[in-house]
Amino acid sequence: MTTCISHFLSLYLPPPSLPSNSTTFTFSFSAPLMASQQNPQQNPLLQDFIFPPYNIIQPNHILTGIPTLLNKLESDLIELENTVEPIWPKLVVPLERIIDRLKVVWGIVEHLKSVKDFPELRSAIEQVQPEKVKFQLRLGQSKPIYNAFKAIQESSCWQTLNDAQKRIVEAQIKEAVLNGVSLEDDKRDQFNKIQQELGKLSQKFDANIFDATKNYEKLITDKMEVDGLPATALGLYAQTAISKGHANATTEKGPWIITLDFPCYRRVLQHARNRSLREEVYRAYTTRASNEDLDNTPIIDQILKLRLAKANILGYNNYAEVSMEMKMATVDKAKELLEELRIASRNAAMKDVEDLKSFSRDQGSIEATDLRHWDFNFWSERLRESKYDINEEELRPYFSLPKVMDGLFRLSKRLFNINIESADGLAPVWHKDVQFYCVKDSSSNPVAYFYFDPYSRPSEKRGGAGVEDVFSRSCALARDGAPARLPVVNMVCNQTSPVGNKPSLMTLREVWTVFHEFGHALQHMLTKQDESLVSGTRGIEWDAVELPSQFMENWLHHRDTLMSIAKHYETGENLREDIFLKLLGSRTFLAGSEVLRQLRFAIIDLELHTEYVPGGSESIYDIDQVVRKRTQVIPLFPEDRFLCSFSHIFADEYAAGYYSYQWAEVLSADAFSAFEEAGLDDDKAIEEIGRKFRETVLALGGGKSPMEVFVEFRGREPSPEAFLRHNGLLPVIMST
């Protein structure tokens, strides 16, 4: 087996003397934390592991391990500052080791919080996080390191660096400035206090969403109340009831427990004929974390206030300007794209609503004249069933998780010439449902590994889906004679769990999510960059990172790909050709409404980070209401508190960057159109273009600018034509 992590240096070297031009930080921990350093060899976080020991890490390991790690990294940083020279081996290589070690260990901790949360774990992380942020600030504001990078850029050896190395130098200089390296003492202290507080607030924001989601449970004993809900949903609700102590719960007779976990919530909105139930669940979901002790409103206000203050300290007018420094777009360019898409989709969205009203009226619905937010999904599904004769729930047996993964892996082999094999048992996992895979090249050599955690676990696991690198590819961090350390990735989804003896039977939306997240994983795993600071998605401008993920979604509209995964889990029967054609025909069904819904999120994000004045006369909900008037075509829901659960921008890395989904979707649609132009049934052409996609978009990471990478693949700059065509909006934009 090819090993995947560098040999860690000893944790117990005495700290060298501090250079005169650097700032020292003393890490002070309470007595219980300091006691940990007496026996660090027993702490799994501090071991020389090949794969993370996810199965044995406990809160006390965090409380004891993180202080020891930070003290060790502080010693390493002091040594680097003492010996730094403006040459690669004396600057970037030792810096990479420091950055990587912290990222790996803290990444393990954060990952466990997202997939296996419990109070003691959360408390341990909250206790050590301030010191972790303190070290990151210390590292980011190191003037010896900053000056060394500046010296490289200004030296005669600059021209000898390759593109990736130049990008690393430029990014490190820019990031240092954004981290406050140039600030005077008073302003730097103020900046650091803001960063500490923002870290705490983001953690609290995320925790409130998790707790609010978990706190809602609705017990139902009357089957009339769940009329319309499919057997698969009732089975899930009964299984939840069993886990909550109702041992005799059954699919047919209940009782059933409805939660706000997304697979559960979505089915109620789509299928429950009980309008009052739909309204109750919708209200609960859209007002999560907006009441009493879990109210995120003051946290949002404080986050926005601190972000603006941070931007002003750095010399910017608003936080969006800070965010755009590490992106392809500018604020104006991002707003321009969003407005173009809003205009293109609004008329289509208005027609969507009129179609729903007309259809519901024809069905004799009493709500036809007063279609509300909790009615939209229900009548959308009924119209889809009527128009295309497609029932999403009836299609579930054709999309079992094992067959979906098999088809995804076959597609990856066809496009990128890789083989993916199960490696269960090779690495420790955090839950029995987690699967582990090895990615191999055409010569059967391992090139990467990934974990896959597919199912929803509302009691301990955050909602949503995501991919994160555990280890990035790195030549400097290789060990045992290997040419490079191989990438290892976590891929997490929240799809429907298996019920009884059945495998996980997926909706098409859940299949799209798996393909989407695997696109992210591919960019991490198939990178050919040997510098970890630009391998995978590292160093890529944030508004381009969604390109591979959205690109992979497009393959589900390709007949051979979809039919390869759409096989009945019991009989092996293929999905009928006429059903595939109906699915293809429904591709643009309500596309205008969906685009407009996403635009609301992107526009409110930019408005809050450009125009909104914290503490001013307008509240965040006033701003949101203005945005909703521009992006919604049904009456507003006044009590909407979606912002209180908008974790992308308040607890993740999408602040003033949610527009990235639309920006990258233009890129991904255009990239997929290269395959369309070659002919999706031309196997040789598809393989050639697939290899080219791998060697550019997936391989180059942050070593080249996204625009250069795109042009290298496509032969020209991107065009929005394919995006508009795929969404059925091209005629609309042409007529406006």
Side-chain angles (χ1 to χ4, degrees), residues 102 138 141 148 230 256 307 344 397 423 518 660-661 663 674:
L102 179 60
R138 157 88 169 96
Q141 295 170 359
W256 307 274
R307 285 177 179 168
F518 194 67
S660 300
Y661 283 102
W663 188 274

Side-chain angles (χ1 to χ4, degrees), residues 20 70 93 144 157 159 175 208 233 238 272 275 283-284 302 400 461 556 613 709 732 734:
S20 59
L70 291 175
V93 173
C157 71
Q159 296 305 322
E175 288 177 10
N208 283 351
R275 193 187 192 197
R283 286 180 177 274
Q302 188 65 5
S400 65
K461 185 178 177 184
L556 289 170
V613 180
V709 173
V732 181
M734 285 183 167

Side-chain angles (χ1 to χ4, degrees), residues 347-363 368 371 376 379-380 382-384 386-388 588-591 593 633:
N347 287 343
M350 292 176 68
K351 184 178 184 304
D352 291 342
V353 173
E354 290 306 312
D355 288 347
L356 290 179
K357 287 181 177 179
S358 176
F359 176 76
S360 61
R361 186 166 52 247
D362 291 345
Q363 303 303 306
L371 208 61
F376 194 87
W379 286 108
S380 294
R382 306 293 80 74
L383 178 57
R384 188 198 307 270
S386 173
K387 189 172 182 178
Y388 299 102
T588 59
F589 179 67
L590 302 186
S593 298
V633 290

Side-chain angles (χ1 to χ4, degrees), residues 11 128 139 159-160 175 193 225 284 344 459 461 489 523 580 608 627 672:
L11 291 171
V128 299
L139 178 62
Q159 296 305 322
T160 67
E175 288 177 10
K193 289 178 182 177
E225 288 192 52
S459 65
K461 185 178 177 184
V489 172
Q523 191 165 34
F580 165 73
L608 290 176
V627 171
F672 186 74

Side-chain angles (χ1 to χ4, degrees), residues 112-169:
L112 286 173
K113 188 186 75 168
S114 69
V115 297
K116 209 167 184 63
D117 188 25
F118 57 97
E120 293 80 7
L121 179 70
R122 189 187 300 179
S123 174
I125 294 172
E126 289 173 354
Q127 288 185 60
V128 299
Q129 186 190 28
E131 299 302 330
K132 176 258 185 183
V133 173
K134 188 176 183 180
F135 176 76
Q136 284 183 306
L137 290 167
R138 157 88 169 96
L139 178 62
Q141 295 170 359
S142 170
K143 288 189 176 180
I145 293 175
Y146 172 71
N147 290 335
F149 276 114
K150 292 283 288 183
I152 287 180
Q153 191 178 46
E154 296 164 2
S155 72
S156 58
C157 71
W158 174 251
Q159 296 305 322
T160 67
L161 300 182
N162 60 38
D163 289 343
Q165 290 172 325
K166 287 180 179 178
R167 290 261 297 174
I168 288 172
V169 172

Side-chain angles (χ1 to χ4, degrees), residues 201-217:
L201 291 169
S202 292
Q203 289 274 358
K204 180 62 175 172
F205 184 93
D206 194 44
N208 283 351
I209 299 172
F210 180 77
D211 290 342
T213 302
K214 189 169 65 172
N215 287 350
Y216 179 89
E217 292 179 4

Side-chain angles (χ1 to χ4, degrees), residues 330-459:
T330 63
V331 174
D332 289 343
K333 285 291 185 182
K335 287 187 173 182
E336 181 182 327
L337 173 67
L338 297 179
E339 182 61 13
E340 287 179 1
L341 296 180
R342 190 189 70 83
I343 293 171
S345 58
R346 187 169 178 82
N347 287 343
M350 292 176 68
K351 184 178 184 304
D352 291 342
V353 173
E354 290 306 312
D355 288 347
L356 290 179
K357 287 181 177 179
S358 176
F359 176 76
S360 61
R361 186 166 52 247
D362 291 345
Q363 303 303 306
S365 168
I366 59 173
E367 61 252 34
T369 58
D370 184 31
L371 208 61
R372 306 300 295 272
H373 293 266
W374 43 87
D375 303 320
F376 194 87
N377 282 313
F378 177 80
W379 286 108
S380 294
E381 284 305 303
R382 306 293 80 74
L383 178 57
R384 188 198 307 270
E385 293 166 359
S386 173
K387 189 172 182 178
Y388 299 102
D389 193 22
I390 295 173
N391 183 303
E392 186 180 67
E393 288 298 317
E394 291 177 0
L395 293 180
R396 279 183 183 268
Y398 289 91
F399 297 106
S400 65
L401 178 63
K403 288 184 170 59
V404 168
M405 298 305 288
D406 286 346
L408 175 58
F409 295 164
R410 285 195 299 271
L411 174 65
S412 300
K413 178 178 176 62
R414 180 190 181 203
L415 294 177
F416 311 126
N417 200 24
I418 58 175
N419 294 294
I420 301 171
E421 301 175 358
S422 173
D424 287 337
L426 182 62
V429 296
W430 53 91
H431 190 275
K432 63 181 178 62
D433 292 335
V434 176
Q435 302 160 23
F436 192 64
Y437 294 94
C438 177
V439 181
K440 296 183 177 181
D441 63 19
S442 57
S443 300
S444 295
N445 298 312
V447 296
Y449 297 89
F450 72 96
Y451 302 84
F452 179 38
D453 186 352
Y455 309 130
S456 170
R457 297 190 298 275
S459 65

